Amino acid sequence: MLGKGFASLGWCLLSSAPAWGAPRPAPPVGFPWSVPGAGSAPWNILVLLTVLTLLPALALSMTPLVRLLVVFHFLRQALGTQTAPTNQTLIGLSLVLTFFLMQPVGAAIQQAAIAPFARGQISAVEAVERSAGPLRHFMLQYAREKDLALFLELAKEPRPAHPEDVALRVVAPAYILSELKAGFQIGAALYLPFLVVDMVVASITTSIGMFQLPPVVISTPLKILLFVMVDGWNLLVGSLMKSFH
């Protein structure tokens, strides 16, 4: 009886299925893959997945995240605290500050690329091309002319008449070099006061014959106390944020 029941169910499903080669019904109106001008669904999915895969690299190469991470690393080394704050804390703080700084750029990308793509007016490739404009404008504000000239020479491209004509493959590496230089400059200036504290403590402990006690044991609490007394986090973050305006 059970075998006859499954046989009857299979016969009903086969009889209700459309004939081989019969045209399939069109997707309903408003279905995302049938939006005019939105391109084919597999191609759009491929482009979106590629962008999501490259998102960490884009965040490191086209945002202020590089400068912030370098400065925070120098701060931790200058204070002498090896694991405090932790890497997760510094990365999280850098991401929050990067989101704060990149919010106008994100709003411009939303208006120029994401919103038209969501309405089906442009394809995924066109959305990526449009989103490159606000990013290029942001990076050109902080990329040095020396670094731009270097990569223009390496790319064997002529000097453009307008900054907007510079290719993104030239702007991105020039921006990274400029951000690394700025981060190291701020880190060196941040390191000097704590270096003075280390030198003073080392000279005092050596002069009084305290050779058994490492100077870093005494200088580290003093540097932390100095950083807290001057409200160092407020001063450092405020200076970093003002450097992008």
Side-chain angles (χ1 to χ4, degrees):
M1 295 294 293
L2 184 61
K4 293 182 179 180
F6 278 115
S8 302
L9 178 61
W11 176 255
C12 292
L13 292 176
L14 288 175
S15 61
S16 61
W20 180 263
R24 297 182 178 272
V29 178
F31 195 67
W33 295 355
S34 63
V35 177
S40 61
W43 180 247
N44 288 341
I45 294 174
L46 176 63
V47 173
L48 292 177
L49 290 179
T50 304
V51 172
L52 291 177
T53 304
L54 298 177
L55 192 58
L58 295 177
L60 283 173
S61 59
M62 298 183 179
T63 64
L65 187 61
V66 176
R67 184 190 302 190
L68 298 174
L69 286 177
V70 170
V71 172
F72 290 149
H73 174 75
F74 272 103
L75 172 65
R76 189 170 63 180
Q77 294 296 321
L79 286 174
T81 56
Q82 301 299 324
T83 58
T86 61
N87 290 330
Q88 292 83 357
T89 303
L90 295 181
I91 293 174
L93 177 59
S94 302
L95 287 173
V96 171
L97 296 179
T98 300
F99 176 78
F100 181 85
L101 291 170
M102 295 296 292
Q103 189 173 5
V105 181
I109 294 176
Q110 167 70 23
Q111 183 178 1
I114 299 179
F117 174 73
R119 293 193 297 265
Q121 298 176 354
I122 58 176
S123 64
V125 178
E126 293 175 351
V128 173
E129 293 176 353
R130 289 191 181 187
S131 62
L135 284 174
R136 182 188 295 108
H137 178 71
F138 172 80
M139 290 187 291
L140 284 174
Q141 294 179 357
Y142 305 103
R144 299 188 306 164
E145 293 185 4
K146 184 177 181 180
D147 296 328
L148 289 172
L150 171 64
F151 284 98
L152 280 174
E153 180 182 357
L154 293 176
K156 298 181 180 180
E157 293 185 2
R159 187 180 182 88
H162 303 283
E164 293 76 11
D165 298 334
V166 183
L168 194 62
R169 73 187 188 102
V170 174
V171 178
Y175 173 77
I176 297 175
L177 288 186
S178 302
E179 287 296 287
L180 286 175
K181 178 179 175 60
F184 272 78
Q185 287 177 341
I186 299 174
L190 185 65
Y191 214 107
L192 290 178
F194 300 106
L195 181 61
V196 172
V197 175
D198 286 332
M199 294 175 63
V200 171
V201 171
S203 63
I204 293 176
T205 55
T206 304
S207 62
I208 63 178
M210 296 177 60
F211 298 104
Q212 301 299 326
L213 184 64
V216 68
V217 176
I218 302 175
S219 63
T220 299
L222 293 178
K223 290 186 292 186
I224 296 175
L225 180 62
L226 175 64
F227 187 73
V228 173
M229 288 180 60
V230 300
D231 198 4
W233 285 110
N234 184 279
L235 293 176
L236 178 61
V237 173
S239 301
L240 282 173
M241 302 301 280
K242 292 178 182 177
S243 66
F244 287 98
H245 292 84

